[in-house]
Each structure stands twice: as structure tokens, then as C-alpha cells.
Amino acid sequence: MDGLMMNTPLTLQEILERARKVFGEQEIVSRIEDGSLHRTTYSQLHTRVLKLMGLLERLGIEPGDRVGTFAWNSYRHLELYFAIPCLGAVLHTVNVRLPEDQLRHILTHAETRVLFVDRCFAETLAPYFARGERLGKIEQVIVLDDHGNGASQGIEGALDYETLLSEASPIRAMPTIRDEQAAGLCYTSGTTGSPKGVLYSHRAYWIHSLGSTGVDSMAVSRTDAMMPVVPMFHANAWGFPYTCAMAGAKQVFPGQHLLGRPLAELIESERVTLAAGVPTVWNVLLQHLRKNDHDVSSLRNMIVGGSAAPVSLIRAYKEELGITITHAWGMTETTPVGCCSRLKSTSLALDEDDQIELRGKQGIPVPGIDVKIEGDDGSDLAWDGEQVGELCVRGPWVARSYYEDEERQSVFAADGWFHTGDVATIDVNGYIHITDRKKDLIKSRGEWISSVDMENVAMAHPGVLEAAVTGRPDALRDEVPVLWVVASPEVPAPAPADLVAHLGQRFAQWQLPRLEDIRFIEAIPKTSVGKFDKKALRRRMSEGD
Ligand code: AMP
């Protein structure tokens, strides 16, 4: 129809150009391998991205080709985040913690042509290339090395990133790309079978970034200094590299230095205002901050997601450090931000305690994301905070299929809903509360027990550092919960009976674990992206622990 708006493409090229034009002076700070800080700006990023695009072109990278990264969060990874998709190719971020078979599988499945690798991973990858295995169809490895010595780090035939870049000519003009074109690829580790690929479009990244800047979403502003601890190889570092560039925020990359002290020091020195990571990371930082003096007063908000944030963690940051934790939910399949737990004006009237409880929920869908909960029979369940069903989502940055994977498409319904596999309630105010992954629910005599709720309550006990709950078959009750506990080093370990009594304040008698099912362990095993690895716990149990 005549008189409508322009249809300019929503691409990462536009975000990059905007960053150069209006935020050219804004800083990008990275902690590099030796622990020192490297500083650059959006203007310098832009210059190097054009050269990198020139280099990729010279290597014969064509639109649609997959180009991989195997790296920690850094300015070089950010350059790749822009150069690869801006050329029309596909940025394939590879999880550096994957077991060998999965690494081999995803690089082969994606047919990744060139792989950019951090120097510290050269040792991991060198043996494959030494025995002539090209991990699928990798034609060229390029090593990201702080000293420009990437070519001599042990990977046969590898080239050095800095040397190549110093010799490269910038691409002459940005190629024309469409916004539906593929820009990124990330594999998500399924509970069964091999990892599944999720292919992102420029449009999805662009709209996701705009949505994430919103004050009731990730609220990224040009006045922020943002530190993504969530790795750039997992779910696009929750979109922050692009969102920050769009908003003009300073980016602060921790590299491989992810323990309490280096994170606290980075927050302090760079006056970080916003940070994002999984609960475990914030728990480690909290333990450090409790014992050491750091000025973290610049932090206005910490985003936590990836797995359920215990209310006790949210409370501890608020009460001990005055820092607000914002709980967010998302998935690789949702680019990933889906919902975010910020308060409504009506909830501001609640007392502090109830506000913190509410912040423990995963929150309200961000604009653009539609949600529902579905019963076992496929019916829509009421938003009453009681009915429990599978969370389904749809929206412009939700995947509509897995990449080149015909067999595992059943989670994408014909009417556009993606079945997340997460079990949730939604209350009358629209707050989603994830109670479990479908496979982690415990069914005792026909009634469900939420493992997440039980973990949450257990972790509120002062003697508990971390807790995970799995199910165990039981002749009498079908299934019973097993509570795995890592005792806090600060206080004497609680007795199993104490823990059961503590859980008894919130759970019915029939839901409680038996005394013999309270198991103290050194550490809860974690997955490659830092979540509790319940598969490993179940394995440990079946092996007779
Ligand atoms: P991934 O694709 O690896 O990021 O994993 C996505 C899954 O992580 C979701 O389906 C949830 O099971 C879980 N998850 C992510 N964020 C949260 C959260 N805030 N609370 C509970 N579970 C979460």
C-alpha cells in the first residue's frame, strides 16, 4: 500500500556503523591472557572489523559459509562477532568446554570452514590437526595471540591473527545483505543425543538487541559499563555484545579470568555498572566479596540466568551489598532473552521480603515474546500461579527449527509455538516461574515435586553453599528426591535431620527427602555452560554412590 514506512534492513552492519558514528570514543576493555588490561574503542573496532572482513574475503569466505570461534570473551572475539556476519557469513561460536565427541560433531555438522582459536586452546586442538583430522572441513585455523605468535602455537598450518590483520586491506564496501539472512549459529547441548544447531538471522539479532535495551528488559544504556561473564560461546553471551554496541555501552570482557578476585577487581577498576552471568558465578563472587574489601558500588544491576537463581542469592546481594539482581530466563533457541523479572508499579508497594521473592521468579516476557503454558493434553493452562505446564514461546527471535536436523523438529509446533521443555507456572500478573526441566521433575505417588524449588529452599540454609535435587526410583512412592549438598566452608556442616527440618518449613511431609537421601559432596558437577549437571548426579547415583 502506498504511504507506508521504509523497509530498511535490520542488520548487524547497521549496529556496527552506528557504533562508529555516534559512540566512536566509547571504550572496550579486555583482560588478556597475562591478566593485564587491553583498551580499545568502537572506532578502532570498526577499523579492525573492516580489515578482518577484507581478510575473510581473501580467504574465500562466501555468504552463508560458517566461520567458527573457539575463544573467551575479548575484543578480538567482538571483532569476529561483527566481521563474520557483516560479510554475510555465519558466526559459529563453539563452546570451548565441550567433550571431544560433541566438538567433533558440531564442527562437522556445521561444515565450519575457518576456525579462530584463542592461543590458550591451541594445545587442546593441536592433537586433532597433528593426526590429520580436520574436525569436519576446517580449511584454516587462525590463532588469536596477544603477542602475534599464533602461527607457532603448535597447530599445524595455523596462521596468526594479528599478523594477518596487520597485512590485510579493509573491505572496499559493505556487501548488501538482507535481514533474513543467517548471521550466527550456536549449538545447544541436548539432554539426549547430539547438540542441536540454532541459526540466527540478522533481523533476530537486531530486534533482540533493541528489545534488550529496554528499561524493563536488560536496560542497557550508553552510560553503562557492561561486563558479560556469560561466555560469548554460549547463547551469544545473552546478546550483550550486540546490545551494548547498539546502545553505545562500554564493554568490559573478563577473558579467561573468571574467579572472584579478578572479577571483583575488574568491576572496581572499570566501574562496571551492569554484569551478567549464571548463578554459580555470582555465588563465587559473593563468597569473595564477603571476605575481601572491594569497592563494587558502581554495580547497579546484575543479570542472572541460565539456571534458576536462588532467592537466597538475590537476598544476599541486596542486603549485604545493596546490589539488585535481575533474574532473566532464556534459551539458545530464543537468542536468548525471553523474560526478565523486574517489578511492576503495583509490586513496589510490597515489603522488601515479598519483592525479593518476586524477583526470584523468572519474570515477565519481554515485548515481542508471547508465552503460554500447556498441559499434558495440549490445553492452554490458566495464569493463576498454580497450574503447572510446559512453557511455550513464540516471537521474532525464537527459532522455528533446528539447523539441518530433520529428526528433532517436534518441539516446533505447526502453529508457531516452540515447546521449551521447561515446566512453569504463570501468575495473574504475568510472572513466569520455572519449576523444572521436564526431565528433572520428580513424581511421587502421582504428585509433582519441583526440584528447583527444593534447591532454592535448601540453598537458603546458612550451612549450604550449593544444593541440587534429583529423583530416585522408589518402590513405595514411585520416585523420591535426593538432595545433594555442598556444605558451606564458613560454618559447621548441618546434620541431615536439620536440613530435612529446614525443608519441612516449605514442603509437605511426603515431598521431603529421606535422611539417607541427603548426600554431602565436594562440589556439584557443572555442565559446559556452568549449570548443575543433573545427568552426572544421576549417573553417580546409578553407579552406587
Ligand atoms: P541454554 O540453551 O543452554 O541457555 O539453556 C536453556 C535452559 O536453561 C532453559 O530451557 C532453562 O531450563 C534454563 N534456564 C535459563 N534461564 C533460567 C532461569 N532464569 N531460571 C531457570 N532456568 C533457566
Side-chain angles (χ1 to χ4, degrees):
M1 194 184 295
D2 207 18
L4 276 175
M5 300 290 120
M6 292 183 193
N7 199 8
T8 54
L10 309 175
T11 70
L12 296 176
Q13 292 177 345
E14 196 269 345
I15 297 183
L16 179 69
E17 284 301 331
R18 171 179 160 81
R20 175 187 66 83
K21 282 191 225 155
V22 289
F23 304 117
E25 77 300 343
Q26 182 62 282
E27 265 194 311
I28 298 159
V29 181
S30 313
R31 199 187 278 289
I32 57 175
E33 202 178 343
D34 68 5
S36 62
L37 297 182
H38 173 279
R39 291 176 190 279
T40 183
T41 61
Y42 279 117
S43 168
Q44 287 161 337
L45 168 83
H46 185 271
T47 306
R48 281 171 55 101
V49 165
L50 295 195
K51 287 181 119 194
L52 189 49
M53 290 172 71
L55 168 67
L56 290 166
E57 202 178 41
R58 194 163 62 73
L59 289 171
I61 295 300
E62 304 267 355
D65 282 351
R66 270 75 64 206
V67 177
T69 60
F70 198 78
W72 294 113
N73 296 6
S74 77
Y75 68 101
R76 293 197 187 93
H77 208 162
L78 186 65
E79 289 161 7
L80 292 157
Y81 252 61
F82 278 102
I84 297 166
C86 286
L87 192 69
V90 179
L91 166 76
H92 175 200
T93 51
V94 183
N95 186 331
V96 303
R97 300 193 185 110
L98 286 183
E100 204 174 307
D101 56 334
Q102 294 195 9
L103 176 68
R104 191 175 285 120
H105 169 79
I106 67 166
L107 285 166
T108 306
H109 186 261
E111 299 187 332
T112 302
R113 287 188 58 194
V114 174
L115 187 64
F116 288 84
V117 177
D118 262 353
R119 194 213 66 87
C120 59
F121 298 120
E123 216 175 295
T124 315
L125 297 183
Y128 295 92
F129 294 90
R131 56 177 181 256
E133 188 184 339
R134 311 272 341 150
L135 286 169
K137 294 193 175 159
I138 293 177
E139 297 158 27
Q140 184 63 61
V141 174
I142 298 177
V143 178
L144 315 172
D145 178 59
D146 294 330
H147 305 290
N149 294 328
S152 53
Q153 296 300 325
I155 300 183
E156 267 180 30
L159 298 172
D160 175 64
Y161 183 82
E162 289 301 331
T163 310
L164 289 171
L165 217 55
S166 67
E167 293 162 355
S169 311
I171 192 159
R172 261 183 262 119
M174 278 282 177
T176 304
I177 50 181
R178 290 170 296 107
D179 57 7
E180 304 88 12
Q181 209 164 312
L185 175 65
C186 186
Y187 282 73
T188 173
S189 298
T191 46
T192 50
S194 48
K196 295 162 282 190
V198 178
L199 192 61
Y200 308 95
S201 61
H202 279 264
R203 180 173 183 270
Y205 277 147
W206 198 99
I207 309 179
H208 179 268
S209 301
L210 187 68
S212 291
T213 59
V215 288
D216 286 321
S217 178
M218 302 292 105
V220 183
S221 148
R222 63 190 63 164
T223 57
D224 275 315
M226 201 286 143
M227 180 176 78
V229 182
V230 48
M232 289 165 92
F233 57 72
H234 178 221
N236 309 303
W238 301 349
F240 283 108
Y242 297 138
T243 306
C244 289
M246 179 183 264
K250 171 175 169 180
Q251 307 209 32
V252 182
F253 294 118
Q256 65 204 85
H257 308 277
L258 303 172
L259 293 178
R261 178 173 299 284
L263 290 181
E265 286 174 356
L266 204 53
I267 294 169
E268 193 167 5
S269 74
E270 298 312 310
R271 306 302 295 154
V272 167
T273 57
L274 182 64
V278 292
T280 331
V281 162
W282 298 142
N283 201 0
V284 167
L285 180 66
L286 178 67
Q287 306 308 322
H288 178 82
L289 291 174
R290 277 179 173 158
K291 286 193 222 124
N292 299 276
D293 212 13
H294 291 276
D295 176 7
V296 291
S297 59
S298 56
L299 260 182
R300 66 169 177 80
N301 202 200
M302 286 161 90
I303 311 281
V304 63
S307 46
V311 173
S312 51
L313 184 74
I314 300 176
R315 188 185 306 282
Y317 268 97
K318 189 78 195 162
E319 291 175 355
E320 295 174 37
L321 298 157
I323 296 170
T324 302
I325 285 197
T326 299
H327 198 184
W329 170 93
M331 302 179 74
T332 305
E333 290 88 335
T334 64
T335 311
V337 178
C339 63
C340 184
S341 201
R342 296 197 187 268
L343 301 181
K344 289 183 172 184
S345 50
T346 42
S347 32
L348 291 174
L350 297 173
D351 66 29
E352 182 88 346
D353 233 37
D354 289 341
Q355 286 192 12
I356 287 177
E357 286 291 327
L358 196 52
R359 288 182 182 281
K361 293 192 175 190
Q362 281 70 11
I364 290 179
V366 297
I369 296 292
D370 195 9
V371 297
K372 67 171 182 175
I373 38 171
E374 210 180 82
D376 286 341
D377 57 358
S379 60
D380 261 14
L381 299 181
W383 291 22
D384 58 6
E386 299 286 332
Q387 301 201 46
V388 181
E390 182 172 5
L391 180 67
C392 301
V393 297
R394 63 181 176 193
W397 57 84
V398 177
R400 61 167 183 253
S401 62
Y402 287 121
Y403 175 66
E404 303 277 340
D405 190 337
E406 276 173 15
E407 278 165 23
R408 293 180 295 179
Q409 304 291 2
S410 61
V411 290
F412 302 98
D415 56 0
W417 288 101
F418 164 59
H419 288 70
T420 64
D422 282 340
V423 178
T425 61
I426 307 182
D427 69 18
V428 282
N429 292 310
Y431 281 84
I432 297 164
H433 180 41
I434 308 278
T435 54
D436 251 310
R437 288 292 294 165
K438 247 167 137 181
K439 58 169 191 349
D440 291 337
L441 268 176
I442 298 160
K443 207 167 197 184
S444 217
R445 287 201 168 149
E447 297 290 339
W448 297 112
I449 304 172
S450 159
S451 65
V452 173
D453 284 354
M454 192 171 281
E455 287 158 8
N456 220 330
V457 175
M459 283 191 270
H461 190 288
V464 175
L465 184 63
E466 281 185 328
V469 174
T470 56
R472 167 176 83 71
D474 180 80
L476 214 59
R477 289 161 62 186
D478 303 328
E479 221 182 359
V480 289
V482 176
L483 177 68
W484 304 82
V485 178
V486 179
S488 162
E490 307 297 321
V491 291
D498 277 356
L499 287 175
V500 174
H502 171 77
L503 294 174
Q505 295 167 17
R506 296 287 289 272
F507 288 88
Q509 196 63 30
W510 63 269
Q511 296 178 308
L512 295 175
R514 300 196 179 114
L515 288 183
E516 65 270 25
D517 284 327
I518 309 276
R519 304 186 184 202
F520 286 89
I521 49 176
E522 289 287 296
I524 309 268
K526 309 273 179 352
T527 67
S528 61
V529 291
K531 304 179 191 201
F532 290 168
D533 188 347
K534 296 198 182 175
K535 248 196 305 185
L537 287 174
R538 281 191 280 264
R539 206 166 39 239
R540 189 163 166 168
M541 202 158 52
S542 67
E543 283 162 5
D545 184 341

